[in-house]
Structures are given as C-alpha cells and as structure tokens.
C-alpha cells in the first residue's frame, strides 16, 4: 500500500500542510500549475501584537505563468522577513533553538525561483519535525493533459494504491477516474487541531507552522495529528520488562550476542526502509576500492534524514549498552547493512568490529536493527558464539563448522560484543534485506567521523540530549583557550565522561 498526495508548493505553510505530508508515502509538489495571486504560494500569516499579518515575497503581478516559472527578486526581502520574524517571535519559548535552523535559510541562502525556495523551507521543516516522507516534483514524471487525468497519471506513475487529497479539491476531481485505475481516493480532514501556547492575543490556527515551532519547539508534534505518529518518538518508548536487560547482559557475557525482540514497530521499519532505499538509490561510488566495497553500507545516514537519528533517542538503547560500555558511551559508527537480491555486501567477510582485545573488557558493542525478517535464505548474520573470549582468530573452516545464524523477526535488535567474529550471509532471495547498524564505543575513544561537525545542525538540533550525547556533543575537544575556560555548564567536554 502506497499513499500519494499531489499539492502545490506554499511558502512556510501551516501545520496542516505538514500533517498531509506525514500522512502519505510520497508528496508530489505540483508547481506545474498556474501561479495564483493573493494565495499561499508566496505568502503566509504570522501573529503580531497588532494581530495577524501577511509575510509576503514580492514576485510581481503577472499571473500568466506557472508556479515553477515565478522568479524571485534580490535577497533584501529575505533579510526583511527574518527581522520581522525575530521582532514578533523573539520572546517565544523556543525561538533561539528554531532560529538555528531557519536564520541561515533567510540570511545565507538565495534562490532564483519560488519553487526551489518553497521546497527548501518545506524540507527543512520536515527534517525538524522528523518527517521522512519522500518529496518529489511533478516534472519528475510524465505529465498528461487533463486536470484529473494528470493527477491520476501522477499517482499511477508514483505507484500509488491510494491518493490523498485536500477537501477543497472535491469541486473538480472526478472520483470515478481514480477508481477506474484501481486507486482509492480519500479526503484529508484538517479538523480537530488543539490549541497550543501562542503569543499575542486570541489563538489562531491560520498561521505559518513557524508560529508553532517558535512557541513549542520539539513538542510541536503534540499539537499535530499525523506528524506525531510519523516521528515515532523513540524517546517515549517505555523501559524494557521481558526479557529484562539482565537476561541480555548474561547472553552477552557468555555467548557474546543477544537478540532483543520487538524493538521497532512495523511502521518504524517501513519508514526507515523507505528512507534507506532512497539513500541507496542516490549513492554513487567514488574512485577508491573502499567506496565500491561499501556501496551497500551507507555511512552518512545520520546526515541525510532525522528519522535515523531518532533511533538514538530510545531509552532502551541506553539500558542495554550502558552496562557494557559505561553510561557515557558514544557512537563510533552508524551504517546500513543491506543485502541486494542474490548478493551480499562487504560485511560478508569473517571479521570483528574491534581490533583491541582485553579479557573481560568490551571496547565496542554492535547494535543491529533488523528492518526485514532475518532468515537463512536472505542472509541472516552469522556469529561464532563465545569468540570474544579469545584473542585468537578462528580459521574459516572452524567458523563454517560452528557459526550460528541469527534468524529473527523484523523489528528485532541484535546486540553483539565487538570482538565476536561474524559475517553477513548470502541473500538468495529476490528481495532486498535491510538492516541498520550502530557501533558503540567507550567515551574516551576516537570516533570514525567527527560526528558533531558531520551531522547537519538542523538534524542534530532536532534530537534529544541522549542522542546528542551518543553523537559526541558531550565529548568535544576545545580548539582554543576560550573554549577550554568556559563555565562548567557550558564545557564542550562534559565532566564525568571518562
């Protein structure tokens, strides 16, 4: 089942626009439509002490052009808009945090066309809210004539089984046209939004979503309908009960691995696989052999989409890893582990994830989220039980005689000691097998990347304190005496991280 919506781009749209994005699997920006004057394409409302006011981009009076053809003037309007937002929302509870995302878009970026600008703002807001829906342009597809026929064709080309439309389109959409192509037509309902803390007088829903973000910050999804579900807030997952962490820790100390069931919901797996599949499709290997070897091991997922970073917010992750590596453990690496149909990946070699071995002391712990069911046929990970107890490297023959396949349901988590010898299997099926892997390490160890600088600020700012600590925000090294002599509460390297 795939849900698709086709909507014109708007300038910093209201919250309902983003609920529609979050409610579908693909959101097609329909900027082939004619530009309409005094509409939402180039303007939106904000709250001020004087009431609601328009924030409008000056684009001229010509309506005989498509939205995609609307050109923008010089950047002076951008500085004016930001100063207006700063003046009217500077007192908002979360202004400083949200400003880190949007001030650079206003003051450091420029676009020649309205469509490109609207899309950049829409995507930035989606990242902040944790929306992983694919966003595409209508011209990515073949466009046929006829208002309804074009929508049906776009939905069909996008692989939709369901087309979700705003209620205003009831006046012109031919419902039978969708039914004749086997596509269900449903109408989106914008009713029932709760009020939220808002500045300046009586409450109003008819404002840009920036009003909600400035006033509520990361709590914004609480006042929306579909975004709160889409975000799948790992931070709100409850503590583990059965099996308890102690049972998994016993498995880790004896066998060197443990399988934790039902760590992800089916909807979590679907969203993560959709985002991962997009990243794999966009990957282009570089000239080096390693970049070709790692074509199915994506190293920059945390930089691409906040949905991956939200996995680090799960309190159960801390319950499982902290007893093994200490409460201040951090992330060494975060990658995918995808096996293509009738293939494998570079993890297929017999290897360990930690070069250091000290009896009874773990330097690294592997965490793998199975996004698909792991089976014998699709390349379930193979481990050599107890191999973390010895510094010796097993022969391939010994490994082949004694390995265990970690078959498990989709949504399971596999924990393993970094010194356990393991390898990916061979996928003998016609479908991909997807997983995500985290290599956790002690807080005093160097990471594979300088994650604090590598992960884009808008994505890092959308994460909770646990996820930011795991990325490395509490173990940064000062680069000057000014940074070294900061007050303790502002230190880059927080106390107690050793």
């Amino acid at each position: 089942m795939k849900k698709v919506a086709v909507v014109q781009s708007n300038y910093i749209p209201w919250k309902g626009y983003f609920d529609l994005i979050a409610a579908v699997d693909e959101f097609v920006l329909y900027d082939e439509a004619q530009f309409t004057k005094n509409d939402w394409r180039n303007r939106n409302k904000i709250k001020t002490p004087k009431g609601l006011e328009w924030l409008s981009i000056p684009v001229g009076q010509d309506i005989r052009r498509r939205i995609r053809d609307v050109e923008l003037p010089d950047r002076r309007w951008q500085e004016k808009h930001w100063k207006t937002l700063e003046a009217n929302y500077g007192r908002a509870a979360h202004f400083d945090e949200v400003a880190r995302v949007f001030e650079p878009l206003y003051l450091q970026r420029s676009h020649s066309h309205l469509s490109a600008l609207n899309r950049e703002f829409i995507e930035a807001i989606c990242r902040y809210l944790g929306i992983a829906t694919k966003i595409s342009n209508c011209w990515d597809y073949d466009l046929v004539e006829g208002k309804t026929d074009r929508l049906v064709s776009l939905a069909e080309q996008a692989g939709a089984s369901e087309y979700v439309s705003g209620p205003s389109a009831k006046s012109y959409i031919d419902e039978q046209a969708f039914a004749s192509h086997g596509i269900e037509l449903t109408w989106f309902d914008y009713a029932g939004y709760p009020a939220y803390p808002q500045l300046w007088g009586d409450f109003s829903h008819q404002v840009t979503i920036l009003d909600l973000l400035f006033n509520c910050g990361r709590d914004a999804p609480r006042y929306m309908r579909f975004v709160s579900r889409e975000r799948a807030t790992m931070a709100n997952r409850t503590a583990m009960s059965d099996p308890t962490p102690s049972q998994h820790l016993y498995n880790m100390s004896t066998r060197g691995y443990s399988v934790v069931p039902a760590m992800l919901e089916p909807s979590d797996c679907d969203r993560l696989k959709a985002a991962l599949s997009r990243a794999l499709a966009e990957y282009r290997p570089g000239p080096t052999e390693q970049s070709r070897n790692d074509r199915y091991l994506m190293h920059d997922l945390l930089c691409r989409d906040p949905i991956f970073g939200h996995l680090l917010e799960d309190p159960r992750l801390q319950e499982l890893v902290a007893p093994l590596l200490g409460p201040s453990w951090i992330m060494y690496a975060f990658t995918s582990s995808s096996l293509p149909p009738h293939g494998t990946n570079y993890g297929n070699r017999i290897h360990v994830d930690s070069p250091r071995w000290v009896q009874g002391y773990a330097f690294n712990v592997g965490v793998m989220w199975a996004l698909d069911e792991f089976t014998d046929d699709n390349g379930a990970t193979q481990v050599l039980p107890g191999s973390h107890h010895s510094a010796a490297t097993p022969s391939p023959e010994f490994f082949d005689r004694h390995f265990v396949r970690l078959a498990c349901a989709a949504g399971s988590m596999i924990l393993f000691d970094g010194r356990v010898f393991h390898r990916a299997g061979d996928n003998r099926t016609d479908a991909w097998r997807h997983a995500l892997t985290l290599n956790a390490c002690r807080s005093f160890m160097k990471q594979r990347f300088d994650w604090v600088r590598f992960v884009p600020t808008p994505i890092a700012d959308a994460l909770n304190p646990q996820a930011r600590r795991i990325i490395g925000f509490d173990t940064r090294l000062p680069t000057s005496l000014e940074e070294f002599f900061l007050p303790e509460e502002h230190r880059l390297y927080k106390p107690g991280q050793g």
Side-chain angles (χ1 to χ4, degrees):
M1 295 287 290
K2 181 177 181 179
K3 297 182 180 182
V4 172
V6 181
V7 180
Q8 298 166 15
S9 75
N10 291 348
Y11 174 54
I12 50 174
W14 81 301
K15 60 193 172 191
Y17 190 97
F18 292 93
D19 259 332
L20 177 56
I21 296 177
V24 299
D25 301 295
E26 182 172 351
F27 188 81
V28 182
L29 293 170
Y30 186 62
D31 284 2
E32 193 74 16
Q34 180 175 311
F35 176 73
T36 47
K37 184 181 177 183
N38 297 329
D39 215 329
W40 303 101
R41 312 304 156 240
N42 66 309
R43 65 178 190 163
N44 223 300
K45 291 180 180 180
I46 63 171
K47 287 199 73 180
T48 78
K50 299 177 182 178
L52 296 180
E53 291 187 3
W54 287 101
L55 206 58
S56 302
I57 302 174
V59 295
Q61 301 299 313
D62 184 7
I63 62 172
R64 294 171 298 178
R65 50 186 170 166
R66 299 172 298 178
I67 299 168
R68 65 182 292 186
D69 296 328
V70 175
E71 296 182 353
L72 297 176
D74 60 51
R75 296 179 65 254
R76 284 179 292 180
W77 71 267
Q78 295 178 223
E79 297 174 11
K80 181 179 178 182
H81 279 207
W82 180 249
K83 288 180 179 178
T84 301
L85 290 169
E86 199 171 29
N88 290 287
Y89 290 102
R91 300 182 189 177
H94 299 273
F95 178 81
D96 290 342
E97 171 198 325
V98 177
R100 290 199 296 271
V101 178
F102 294 98
E103 184 178 21
L105 297 185
Y106 279 103
L107 302 185
Q108 299 174 20
R109 298 281 292 151
S110 63
H111 290 283
S112 59
H113 287 79
L114 179 65
S115 282
L117 177 128
N118 283 350
R119 177 164 179 164
E120 180 167 51
F121 273 88
I122 289 167
E123 289 180 337
I125 293 166
C126 284
R127 285 194 298 270
Y128 184 86
L129 293 171
I131 299 174
T133 298
K134 177 183 179 181
I135 297 178
S136 55
N137 289 314
C138 65
W139 51 83
D140 296 336
Y141 299 100
D142 295 328
L143 300 178
V144 303
E145 296 300 322
K147 183 172 284 188
T148 298
D149 289 342
R150 178 171 286 185
L151 295 178
V152 171
S153 175
L154 285 169
E156 198 168 36
Q157 291 179 69
S161 54
E162 180 179 343
Y163 180 83
V164 184
S165 175
S168 62
K170 287 183 179 181
S171 61
Y172 64 82
I173 280 187
D174 178 3
E175 298 189 33
Q176 185 57 37
F178 283 92
S180 65
H181 286 77
I183 300 173
E184 181 184 2
L185 174 63
T186 58
W187 302 100
F188 197 72
D189 183 6
Y190 292 112
Y193 282 112
Y196 57 85
Q198 196 178 63
L199 298 175
W200 315 126
D202 294 339
F203 184 86
S204 174
H205 291 290
Q206 308 306 315
V207 289
T208 169
I209 195 171
L210 294 186
D211 182 274
L212 172 60
L213 301 186
F214 285 136
N215 283 299
C216 299
R218 293 176 186 142
D219 284 337
R222 293 186 181 182
Y223 303 96
M224 303 177 73
R225 295 173 56 212
F226 285 87
V227 170
S228 57
R229 301 175 202 175
E230 166 66 26
R231 177 161 181 167
T233 47
M234 294 292 172
N236 295 331
R237 298 293 163 95
T238 57
M240 299 180 64
S241 56
D242 186 27
T244 63
S246 61
Q247 291 172 279
H248 295 294
L249 295 174
Y250 178 79
N251 293 338
M252 291 288 287
S253 66
T254 55
R255 301 184 304 193
Y257 66 90
S258 192
V259 178
V260 190
M263 287 292 281
L264 297 177
E265 301 290 338
S267 58
D268 298 330
C269 294
D270 290 342
R271 285 192 292 269
L272 287 161
K273 282 197 294 184
L276 174 55
S277 295
R278 289 197 295 273
L280 286 166
E282 294 168 0
Y283 181 67
R284 299 294 180 268
T288 65
E289 181 180 1
Q290 191 60 48
S291 70
R292 293 188 291 273
N293 288 340
D294 284 2
R295 60 180 302 187
Y296 303 128
L297 306 172
M298 302 294 294
H299 295 278
D300 63 343
L301 292 174
L302 291 179
C303 305
R304 291 173 171 267
D305 197 310
I307 192 172
F308 299 109
H310 291 315
L311 286 173
L312 308 181
E313 298 180 325
D314 191 338
R316 298 169 299 175
L317 183 62
Q318 181 71 1
E319 282 188 273
L320 292 165
V321 178
L324 301 166
L325 298 177
S328 301
W329 66 274
I330 57 176
M331 176 178 69
Y332 172 73
F334 186 100
T335 68
S336 63
S337 180
S338 297
L339 302 183
H342 302 285
T344 188
N345 63 31
Y346 190 56
N348 186 240
R349 70 203 189 283
I350 299 170
H351 66 285
V352 294
D353 289 344
S354 174
R356 307 166 189 84
W357 182 83
V358 173
Q359 181 69 51
Y361 187 85
F363 286 96
N364 298 76
V365 169
V367 179
M368 180 178 290
W369 291 270
L371 303 185
D372 291 304
E373 181 184 11
F374 277 30
T375 68
D376 289 353
D377 289 336
N378 72 4
T381 299
Q382 302 168 4
V383 300
L384 186 61
S387 53
H388 62 305
H389 292 305
S390 171
T393 299
S395 67
E397 295 76 18
F398 186 88
F399 186 95
D400 287 341
R401 285 199 305 271
H402 298 288
F403 74 77
V404 172
R405 285 190 178 91
L406 299 184
C408 61
S412 299
M413 174 189 283
I414 299 170
L415 291 173
F416 54 94
D417 189 290
R419 284 294 307 182
V420 165
F421 282 86
H422 62 284
R423 70 181 175 195
D426 295 309
N427 183 359
R428 301 189 298 275
T429 72
D430 297 328
W432 282 83
R433 191 230 68 185
H434 292 299
L436 297 170
T437 64
L438 163 72
N439 184 296
C441 66
R442 301 274 180 178
S443 58
F444 57 80
M445 294 171 61
K446 288 185 178 180
Q447 300 167 289
R448 171 173 288 172
F449 296 106
D450 184 348
W451 289 105
V452 172
R453 289 193 299 136
F454 193 27
V455 177
T457 299
I459 291 179
D461 284 347
L463 301 177
N464 74 357
Q466 174 178 300
R468 288 171 63 84
R469 189 210 79 228
I470 293 171
I471 286 174
F473 276 87
D474 292 353
T475 51
R476 289 173 289 170
L477 298 179
T479 59
S480 67
L481 290 176
E482 287 74 15
E483 290 183 346
F484 180 75
F485 288 118
L486 286 172
E488 186 167 296
E489 64 272 17
H490 299 301
R491 284 175 55 186
L492 301 183
Y493 196 105
K494 299 293 190 300
Q497 300 299 312

